[in-house]
């Protein structure tokens, strides 16, 4: 670990060389077995559809620069995967499954206290002393994250971390809050209905549920349009 710690210090200070690049590559490779095992469990046992992700050398460097006290040997998201579910109800069920299946799980809940608008639940699984991060997002949180990425590509990566143009950053933060309120309301309404089948719902309940579903579809469509529009030339 001391060797990896010193490597992180050199990367942070901009003093790494070709040998360090190879060392970092080998360090990232050391997570492969644990990463593959977690993905296999998610896909084959729990029947999720995970998408895998591995931090690049550049991403590792950027994170070390953003967090001056971070120890590379303790970085817990070198490798990971993402699960996207429909809503808060499915998100809670997914987390319960993951906690039941894996040992030594640490949970980072970024729903009520987001990171610069980013909301999700991160679970850190430890296998053979290697950490694998599992990100669980709702479809709307995922759409928001994709929009944030697109805007960051265009206006600078600092937009994701509280920087960037104010006129781009603040609407993105408000959008995150709005989505959160909507999904919490949706969750509470679903809980109020319980397991009641549609055939037993009142006309009012059917109308209210239809309105909620319609709103979700409209929000998803707005995100698709916004993401497509990011690549177009600004008018201002």
């Amino acid at each position: 670990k001391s060797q990896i710690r010193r490597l992180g210090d050199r990367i942070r200070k901009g003093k790494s060389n070709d040998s360090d690049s190879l060392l970092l590559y080998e360090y990232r490779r050391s997570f492969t077995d644990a990463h593959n095992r977690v993905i296999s469990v998610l896909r084959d046992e729990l029947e999720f559809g995970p998408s895998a992700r591995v931090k690049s050398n550049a991403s590792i460097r950027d994170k070390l620069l953003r967090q001056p006290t971070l120890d590379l040997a303790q970085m817990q998201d070198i490798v990971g995967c993402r699960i996207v579910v429909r809503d808060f109800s499915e998100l809670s069920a997914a987390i319960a499954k993951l906690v039941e299946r894996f040992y030594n799980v640490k949970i980072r809940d970024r729903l009520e206290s987001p990171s610069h608008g980013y909301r999700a639940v991160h679970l850190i699984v430890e296998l053979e002393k290697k950490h694998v991060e599992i990100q669980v997002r709702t479809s709307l949180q995922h759409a928001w994250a994709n929009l944030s990425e697109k805007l960051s590509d265009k206006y600078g990566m600092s937009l994701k971390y509280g920087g960037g143009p104010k006129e781009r950053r603040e609407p993105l933060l408000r959008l995150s809050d709005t989505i959160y309120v909507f999904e919490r309301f949706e969750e509470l309404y679903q809980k109020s209905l319980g397991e009641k089948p549609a055939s037993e719902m009142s006309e009012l309940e059917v109308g209210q549920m239809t309105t909620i579903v319609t709103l979700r579809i409209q929000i998803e469509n707005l995100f698709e349009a916004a993401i497509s529009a990011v690549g177009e030339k600004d008018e201002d």
Side-chain angles (χ1 to χ4, degrees):
K1 283 190 174 181
S2 60
Q3 182 186 34
I4 299 303
R5 187 174 298 113
R6 290 193 298 271
L7 170 63
D9 290 339
R10 291 194 297 273
I11 293 172
R12 182 182 287 113
K13 295 174 182 177
K15 296 182 178 180
S16 59
N17 52 36
D18 290 343
S19 296
D20 287 333
S21 296
L22 180 59
L23 179 59
L24 182 57
Y25 170 74
E26 292 298 333
Y27 180 59
R28 289 165 57 213
R29 278 191 59 192
S30 70
F31 288 82
T32 300
D33 288 345
H35 193 201
N36 288 341
R37 284 177 59 192
V38 168
I39 291 175
S40 178
V41 169
L42 296 180
R43 184 184 61 240
D44 301 331
E45 291 186 32
L46 302 181
E47 298 183 339
F48 290 118
S51 57
R53 46 154 295 278
V54 179
K55 260 191 176 2
S56 65
N57 284 12
S59 294
I60 291 173
R61 181 198 65 233
D62 291 344
K63 185 165 186 175
L64 290 172
L65 291 173
R66 288 196 310 273
Q67 302 181 31
T69 61
L70 178 63
D71 180 354
L72 176 57
Q74 299 300 321
M75 192 179 290
Q76 298 181 333
D77 59 348
I78 299 288
V79 296
C81 48
R82 181 178 302 124
I83 297 169
V84 179
V85 297
R86 177 173 173 78
D87 52 28
F88 275 168
S89 177
E90 289 190 9
L91 185 144
S92 297
I95 292 170
K97 277 187 176 182
L98 293 168
V99 171
E100 182 179 4
R101 174 59 182 81
F102 292 105
Y103 301 99
N104 299 321
V105 177
K106 296 179 181 178
I107 299 177
R108 295 175 179 172
D109 189 333
R110 294 179 176 175
L111 298 180
E112 291 189 14
S113 301
S115 175
H116 306 294
Y118 173 79
R119 283 184 162 91
V121 177
H122 290 189
L123 294 89
I124 309 298
V125 176
E126 184 176 347
L127 292 177
E128 299 177 359
K129 299 183 178 180
K130 297 295 182 182
H131 293 108
V132 181
E133 181 186 72
I134 304 173
Q135 301 174 355
V136 188
R137 303 174 179 172
T138 67
S139 60
L140 293 184
Q141 290 167 350
H142 185 59
W144 183 94
N146 284 339
L147 178 59
S148 176
E149 287 286 348
K150 290 287 187 180
L151 289 170
S152 297
D153 288 342
K154 188 169 185 178
Y155 300 107
M157 294 303 293
S158 63
L159 189 65
K160 293 170 57 177
Y161 307 107
K166 181 179 180 180
E167 66 273 17
R168 307 297 176 186
R169 181 180 69 252
E170 292 191 349
L172 198 58
L173 295 176
R174 289 197 297 270
L175 183 56
S176 173
D177 291 340
T178 301
I179 290 169
Y180 179 74
V181 171
F182 168 77
E183 292 200 293
R184 279 301 185 205
F185 173 78
E186 179 185 46
E187 178 189 36
L188 289 172
Y189 191 75
Q190 289 172 346
K191 285 181 177 178
S192 72
L193 293 177
E195 300 297 324
K196 185 187 295 187
S199 59
E200 296 180 11
M201 290 184 190
S202 67
E203 184 176 341
L204 176 61
E205 288 172 336
V206 171
Q208 290 172 334
M209 181 56 70
T210 300
T211 298
I212 292 172
V213 172
T214 301
L215 278 173
R216 171 174 280 277
I217 293 171
Q218 289 175 341
I219 294 170
E220 290 171 348
N221 290 339
L222 286 171
F223 266 117
E224 288 183 11
I227 291 171
S228 296
V230 170
E232 298 176 1
K233 184 177 180 180
D234 289 337
E235 294 180 357
D236 56 357

